[in-house]
Amino acid sequence: MTLPLSEASSRYPFTEADFGRTLLEPSYRVDLRNPFNENLDHFFNANQVSDWSQLSWKEAGKPYEVKTMSKDRKVYENELGEMSVKTSWEYFNRSFHEWFIKDMPEEMSSSKKELKHYLSRFQLSEVKHALGETIRLSLWNYVHRVEDGTWDPRGKRALFQGLDVQKPRILFLGAAEGYEAMQLHAMYPGGEVVLVDYDEFCRTDRFGHFPERYPFLGDNPLTGQPRIWYKDQMKIHYVVDDIRNLSFGKEFDIVLSVGLLEHFPDELKAEVMEWHRKFLKPGGYVIMTTPRHQLKARLFYMIMADVMNHTYRELMDIRQMGLYVYENGFQILRHGFIKVHNGIVAKPR
C-alpha cells in the first residue's frame, strides 16, 4: 500500500530534504544524489554497436568462463558427487547474504587485529588465513559498499529510464533480493512486482531481510516530482518456484533478469531468452544485465571465489551479451555498460 508522503517522511529515515546526499551505512551505501536524473548518461556507456545484424561471433569472441570454484563446492563434490544447479544456488545465496549483512568497518577492524595478533606470535598458517580474510573484506567493502558496484543505483536508473509504461506489472526472474525490480517500481510507481526465485532462502532472508530503511529514488505520480520510496511502500509478491513451472501468461509489461543469462552454457541460452519472451505483453520490455568482462571482474571472482563461485558463470562484454539477445529474436532498444554490469533493454522482434 502506498503511504501519503507526509506519513512516509515521519516513518522513514530519509526524505526529499536529503536529496543530493550519499552516506555509508555499515553494510551498504545510501545514494540520493541526482534525484532529477539529470545527465544520467554519464553513468551509462551506451551505443557500442550500431547494427547488430552486422556483428559476428568471430568479431565479438566468446565469453570468459570463470572456472575457479568455491571450497564449499569442492568439499561437497568430494563427499557427495556432483552438486546440482539448485544446490549450488542455495550455497551461493547463503554465502552472498552472509557477506552482505556484515558490518564492514567492524569486520575489517577485527580482521586486522587478528592478523596483527598472529604476526606477533609468528603463527604463519594463521597469518595466511587472516591475511586472505582481510583482503577479501577490503575488496568486498570497496566493490559493494564504497563504489556501490553491485546495486549501482545511478547506473541502473540510467538503464531503466525512458520506458513507455504506466503502472507496470514487473516480473523479475531469478530475483534474489529483488533490488532492481524495486528500483523500477520506484521509477514507474503504481503497478506491482512479482519476484521469482526457486530458493526459499531468497524470499525469507535475501528479500525478507532487505533493509527497510534503504531509500529508492523514483517519481511521485501526484506531483511529477522526484520522491523517495521504501520497500514496504511497494506492491510486491514473492513466488518460490522454478521459472520453468510458472503458469503466468503474457501479462507483464516488463520482464527483468539480473545476472541470469551468464549462468547457462550456450546450448541453454535460447531457452533462457524464451523465459523472458513467454510472459511479456505485446509491446512489453525485456531488461537484462550480466557482469562485465573486465580485468577487475576477473580479479574479483578469483579473490572472492569462496563467496561467489558456486555455479557455472561467464563474464561477457556488451557485444557478446547483445548477440545472444539479438540472435534469439529480440530488437535491442538500448545497450551499454555501467560500473560492473552490461545492460540491455529489448523487445521481441
Side-chain angles (χ1 to χ4, degrees), residues 164-170 185 187-192 221 253-254 281:
D164 184 17
V165 292
Q166 292 185 348
K167 299 182 179 181
R169 292 193 75 210
I170 301 165
H185 196 297
M187 293 174 67
Y188 303 98
E192 67 172 328
D253 300 280
I254 300 170
K281 289 180 181 178

Side-chain angles (χ1 to χ4, degrees), residues 126-298:
E126 287 81 1
V127 166
K128 182 179 178 181
H129 174 78
L131 180 60
E133 188 70 1
T134 299
I135 292 171
R136 283 190 291 271
L137 286 165
S138 297
L139 181 58
W140 180 272
N141 181 65
Y142 176 75
V143 171
H144 175 65
R145 181 169 170 263
V146 176
E147 284 294 301
D148 207 0
T150 306
W151 286 343
D152 191 5
R154 289 184 290 182
K156 298 283 174 59
R157 297 206 314 274
L159 174 62
F160 298 160
Q161 70 177 340
L163 304 182
D164 184 17
V165 292
Q166 292 185 348
K167 299 182 179 181
R169 292 193 75 210
I170 301 165
L171 177 66
F172 193 170
L173 303 176
E177 79 281 349
Y179 179 88
E180 287 77 10
M182 289 187 277
Q183 180 60 72
L184 272 166
H185 196 297
M187 293 174 67
Y188 303 98
E192 67 172 328
V193 170
V194 178
L195 306 178
V196 177
D197 205 294
Y198 67 174
D199 186 356
E200 174 71 14
F201 181 85
C202 288
R203 184 187 69 82
T204 59
D205 290 71
R206 292 195 63 181
F207 171 73
H209 295 159
F210 184 90
E212 301 282 353
R213 69 194 309 274
Y214 183 89
F216 290 89
L217 278 176
D219 291 336
N220 186 338
L222 298 178
T223 65
Q225 297 297 307
R227 68 161 284 182
I228 291 171
W229 292 86
Y230 291 90
K231 170 186 166 184
D232 66 358
Q233 296 173 313
M234 303 180 185
K235 187 177 181 181
I236 302 173
H237 307 283
Y238 211 111
V239 176
V240 178
D241 204 349
D242 191 308
I243 294 169
R244 294 167 293 185
N245 296 334
L246 297 177
S247 59
F248 300 120
K250 294 182 177 295
E251 55 192 273
F252 292 93
D253 300 280
I254 300 170
V255 176
L256 167 71
S257 71
V258 171
L260 183 65
L261 183 67
E262 78 276 9
H263 292 293
F264 295 85
D266 280 3
E267 60 267 25
L268 296 177
K269 285 190 172 74
E271 180 181 356
V272 176
M273 293 307 307
E274 181 59 28
W275 297 342
H276 294 75
R277 180 187 289 106
K278 69 183 294 187
F279 305 116
L280 199 64
K281 289 180 181 178
Y285 296 94
V286 166
I287 302 177
M288 306 177 69
T289 76
T290 62
R292 287 175 59 192
H293 183 199
Q294 52 182 330
L295 180 59
K296 291 187 291 186
R298 290 171 68 164

Side-chain angles (χ1 to χ4, degrees), residues 13-212:
F14 302 102
T15 70
E16 283 70 12
D18 296 299
F19 281 168
R21 295 182 62 201
T22 183
L23 69 152
L24 288 175
E25 297 284 355
S27 61
Y28 59 88
R29 176 180 288 278
V30 167
D31 194 342
L32 295 174
R33 294 173 290 183
N34 201 14
F36 291 90
N37 294 335
E38 297 168 343
N39 302 316
L40 272 181
D41 285 346
H42 177 72
F43 305 102
F44 181 57
N45 294 283
N47 302 319
Q48 309 294 303
V49 177
S50 58
D51 185 350
W52 289 98
S53 69
Q54 298 302 307
L55 182 65
S56 69
W57 281 110
K58 182 177 180 180
E59 181 182 357
K62 284 294 187 176
Y64 171 83
E65 183 182 344
V66 177
K67 294 185 177 180
T68 305
M69 286 289 120
S70 69
K71 290 180 182 177
D72 283 346
R73 175 162 181 156
K74 292 176 183 177
V75 168
Y76 178 100
E77 293 191 333
N78 283 337
E79 296 178 355
L80 300 173
E82 184 177 359
M83 180 182 280
S84 70
V85 173
K86 187 174 190 298
T87 300
S88 70
W89 275 108
E90 291 170 350
Y91 270 65
F92 166 75
N93 284 321
R94 285 149 185 80
S95 174
F96 184 92
H97 188 68
E98 177 185 340
W99 275 71
F100 172 75
I101 63 176
K102 288 181 185 291
D103 182 323
M104 293 308 299
E106 176 62 29
E107 292 278 350
M108 288 192 295
S109 176
S110 296
S111 181
K112 289 174 182 177
K113 288 177 182 177
E114 186 178 63
L115 176 60
K116 185 177 180 180
H117 170 79
Y118 291 136
L119 279 169
S120 69
R121 287 161 173 75
F122 298 98
Q123 296 172 290
L124 296 185
S125 62
E126 287 81 1
V127 166
K128 182 179 178 181
H129 174 78
L131 180 60
E133 188 70 1
T134 299
I135 292 171
R136 283 190 291 271
L137 286 165
S138 297
L139 181 58
W140 180 272
N141 181 65
Y142 176 75
V143 171
H144 175 65
R145 181 169 170 263
V146 176
E147 284 294 301
D148 207 0
T150 306
W151 286 343
D152 191 5
R154 289 184 290 182
K156 298 283 174 59
R157 297 206 314 274
L159 174 62
F160 298 160
Q161 70 177 340
L163 304 182
D164 184 17
V165 292
Q166 292 185 348
K167 299 182 179 181
R169 292 193 75 210
I170 301 165
L171 177 66
F172 193 170
L173 303 176
E177 79 281 349
Y179 179 88
E180 287 77 10
M182 289 187 277
Q183 180 60 72
L184 272 166
H185 196 297
M187 293 174 67
Y188 303 98
E192 67 172 328
V193 170
V194 178
L195 306 178
V196 177
D197 205 294
Y198 67 174
D199 186 356
E200 174 71 14
F201 181 85
C202 288
R203 184 187 69 82
T204 59
D205 290 71
R206 292 195 63 181
F207 171 73
H209 295 159
F210 184 90
E212 301 282 353

Side-chain angles (χ1 to χ4, degrees), residues 52 55 317-327 332 344:
W52 289 98
L55 182 65
D317 65 27
I318 186 58
R319 298 180 308 163
Q320 293 160 349
M321 180 187 177
L323 274 176
Y324 287 122
V325 175
Y326 178 78
E327 290 186 347
I332 297 175
I344 285 178

